[in-house]
């Protein structure tokens, strides 16, 4: 059992208007194979079958809530460590986790609110209650004549409530693993390590009565922070370290599996973020009391996967490296 009290920001952050990127379910609904409920709702909004905009950003009301209560959780973990006699210095560990959080402080991600509402018959999904309209306080936009509670006069979705609330629950399960092996060689001491996670489930319920969002193996708005991230089923970090006298070297590889868009749409140019591998290298040399270090991050200059219309970057900047190959060097003096 556990609990987490709301922090100062969740309680008292001032409410403000934010423009959140989203995938509009009505985009080209006449030719994109959109489901019948969404088509009917787009027609009710007064939108043409070839509806499109230069940019899709929804005005949302964000901020704190002084009436928040603590989150509660239950967790079950089980781990084993294996150190075989036949392989000296080899250690293998496995840890299973099953965590459930109730009364979670969160906001429903913008795209999930929009897609869930528009795919329901006659806007009947409970998520539609989070539409407070473009003329709500702080939002203050001119409503659309035909859809005044959902769209502004430019036909952008506007006025979605995203203030903090005790409205969500999470369930996540998976396995963490680590393998360590070290040995002496003619070059020096070599340490090998592999760590990783298999994410079998990451389920998010925005609020009671809503639809469970299954995020394992998908990418979309992070339930805790709202920003789009990838929930890859497999993530593995591997490294090799060489240490000898007053110098050493290190190389690592970070693997993240492919993910699919939780809001995939036929109109999108790309609904899958391919798997990526990032290579990093580093070396150091110690001379008296000075240590010189240099390295390269993202050695192969791996580009972030392209996906359609996420935060205007067409990628997931919180999950992938958008900076590219990066060189660094430093000198450290020990007193």
């Amino acid at each position: 059992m556990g609990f987490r009290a709301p922090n100062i920001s969740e309680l008292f952050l001032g409410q403000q208007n934010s423009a959140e990127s989203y995938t509009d379910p009505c985009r080209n609904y006449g030719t994109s194979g959109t489901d019948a409920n969404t088509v009917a709702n787009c027609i009710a909004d007064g939108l043409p079958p070839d509806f499109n905009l230069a940019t899709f950003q929804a005005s949302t009301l964000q901020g704190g809530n002084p009436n928040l209560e603590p989150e509660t959780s239950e967790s079950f973990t089980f781990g084993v460590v294996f150190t075989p006699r036949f392989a000296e210095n080899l250690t293998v560990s496995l840890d299973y986790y099953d965590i459930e959080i109730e009364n979670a402080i969160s906001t429903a991600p913008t795209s999930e609110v929009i897609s869930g509402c528009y795919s329901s018959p006659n806007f009947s999904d409970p998520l539609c209650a989070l539409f407070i309209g473009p003329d709500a306080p702080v939002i203050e936009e001119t409503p659309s004549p035909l859809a005044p509670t959902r769209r502004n006069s430019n036909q952008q979705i506007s006025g979605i409530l995203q203030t903090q609330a005790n409205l969500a629950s999470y369930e996540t399960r998976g396995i963490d693993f680590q393998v360590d092996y070290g040995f002496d060689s003619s070059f020096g001491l070599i340490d090998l390590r592999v760590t990783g996670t298999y994410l079998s489930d990451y389920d998010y319920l925005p609020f009671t009565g809503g639809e469970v969002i299954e995020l394992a193996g998908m990418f979309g708005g992070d339930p805790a922070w709202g920003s789009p991230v990838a929930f890859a089923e497999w993530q593995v970090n591997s490294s090799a370290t060489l240490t000898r006298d007053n110098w050493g070297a290190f190389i690592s590889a970070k693997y993240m599996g492919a993910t699919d868009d939780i809001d995939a749409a036929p109109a999108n140019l790309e609904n899958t973020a391919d798997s990526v591998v990032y290579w990093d290298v580093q070396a150091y040399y110690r001379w008296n009391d000075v240590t010189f270090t240099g390295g390269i991050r993202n050695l192969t200059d791996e580009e972030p996967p392209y996906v359609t219309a996420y935060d205007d970057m067409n990628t997931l900047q919180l999950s992938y490296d958008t900076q590219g190959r990066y060189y660094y060097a430093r000198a450290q003096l020990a007193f």
Side-chain angles (χ1 to χ4, degrees):
M1 296 290 294
F3 77 95
R4 184 185 76 86
N7 59 41
I8 293 177
S9 177
E10 292 167 338
L11 289 167
F12 304 115
L13 180 66
Q15 294 185 356
Q16 57 188 349
N17 183 351
S18 177
E20 299 293 311
S21 297
Y22 71 99
T23 300
D24 199 304
C26 294
R27 182 182 180 186
N28 295 318
Y29 69 86
T31 58
S32 62
T34 307
D35 67 272
N37 288 332
T38 300
V39 169
N41 290 334
C42 295
I43 293 174
D45 278 359
L47 303 176
D50 60 350
F51 169 72
N52 204 353
L53 295 175
T55 181
F56 290 96
Q57 289 186 318
S59 294
T60 63
L61 181 62
Q62 301 179 346
N65 179 356
N67 298 316
L68 292 174
E69 298 178 355
E71 300 176 341
T72 59
S73 68
E74 294 183 2
S75 60
F76 171 78
T77 60
F78 176 78
V80 294
V81 178
F82 181 50
T83 54
R85 294 182 178 179
F86 61 82
E88 187 177 359
N89 299 324
L90 174 64
T91 302
V92 180
S93 63
L94 293 173
D95 294 281
Y96 170 80
Y97 61 87
D98 185 334
I99 303 171
E100 181 177 351
I101 300 176
E102 299 288 346
N103 214 29
I105 299 169
S106 185
T107 60
T110 303
S111 288
E112 278 76 359
V113 171
I114 295 170
S115 61
C117 179
Y118 272 80
S119 62
S120 63
N122 196 28
F123 301 104
S124 58
D125 193 286
L127 287 170
C128 298
L130 298 178
F131 283 77
I132 58 176
D135 58 350
V138 182
I139 303 294
E140 297 177 351
E141 295 180 348
T142 303
S144 164
L146 296 179
T149 62
R150 293 180 294 276
R151 296 182 181 268
N152 60 23
S153 57
N154 294 325
Q155 303 305 335
Q156 292 175 311
I157 290 178
S158 177
I160 294 180
L161 185 63
Q162 279 199 314
T163 53
Q164 301 289 344
N166 295 104
L167 47 73
S169 64
Y170 298 84
E171 289 188 34
T172 183
R173 302 174 189 86
I175 297 175
D176 294 334
F177 57 90
Q178 180 168 317
V179 180
D180 290 288
Y181 181 58
F183 60 93
D184 288 318
S185 72
S186 58
F187 298 101
L189 178 62
I190 296 178
D191 290 301
L192 305 177
R193 169 171 288 186
V194 177
T195 62
T197 294
Y198 171 67
L199 181 66
S200 63
D201 299 281
Y202 194 106
D203 299 339
Y204 167 62
L205 181 65
F207 54 84
T208 302
E211 181 180 354
V212 174
I213 300 170
E214 299 178 353
L215 286 164
M218 313 297 288
F219 67 82
D222 179 85
W225 305 105
S227 299
V229 297
F231 295 85
E233 290 184 334
W234 286 98
Q235 295 190 60
V236 181
N237 294 336
S238 305
S239 65
T241 303
L242 171 64
T243 305
R244 180 170 180 175
D245 298 327
N246 60 340
W247 64 273
F250 171 86
I251 184 170
S252 69
K254 177 182 178 181
Y255 168 82
M256 180 180 292
T259 53
D260 296 320
D261 193 344
I262 192 80
D263 293 313
N268 290 349
L269 296 179
E270 184 56 68
N271 288 315
T272 298
D274 293 331
S275 61
V276 296
V277 178
Y278 294 113
W279 291 89
D280 298 337
V281 294
Q282 184 186 94
Y284 74 89
Y285 177 76
R286 188 180 301 109
W287 177 68
N288 295 330
D289 294 329
V290 181
T291 301
F292 300 95
T293 304
I296 307 174
R297 297 173 186 162
N298 194 357
L299 177 65
T300 59
D301 199 21
E302 181 79 21
E303 294 185 358
Y306 175 90
V307 295
T308 299
Y310 270 83
D311 280 1
D312 293 334
M313 293 188 67
N314 290 319
T315 191
L316 311 171
Q317 69 269 26
L318 295 184
S319 297
Y320 303 108
D321 179 12
T322 60
Q323 187 175 21
R325 186 185 294 117
Y326 178 81
Y327 302 86
Y328 64 93
R330 67 175 179 266
Q332 182 177 356
L333 176 62
F335 293 97

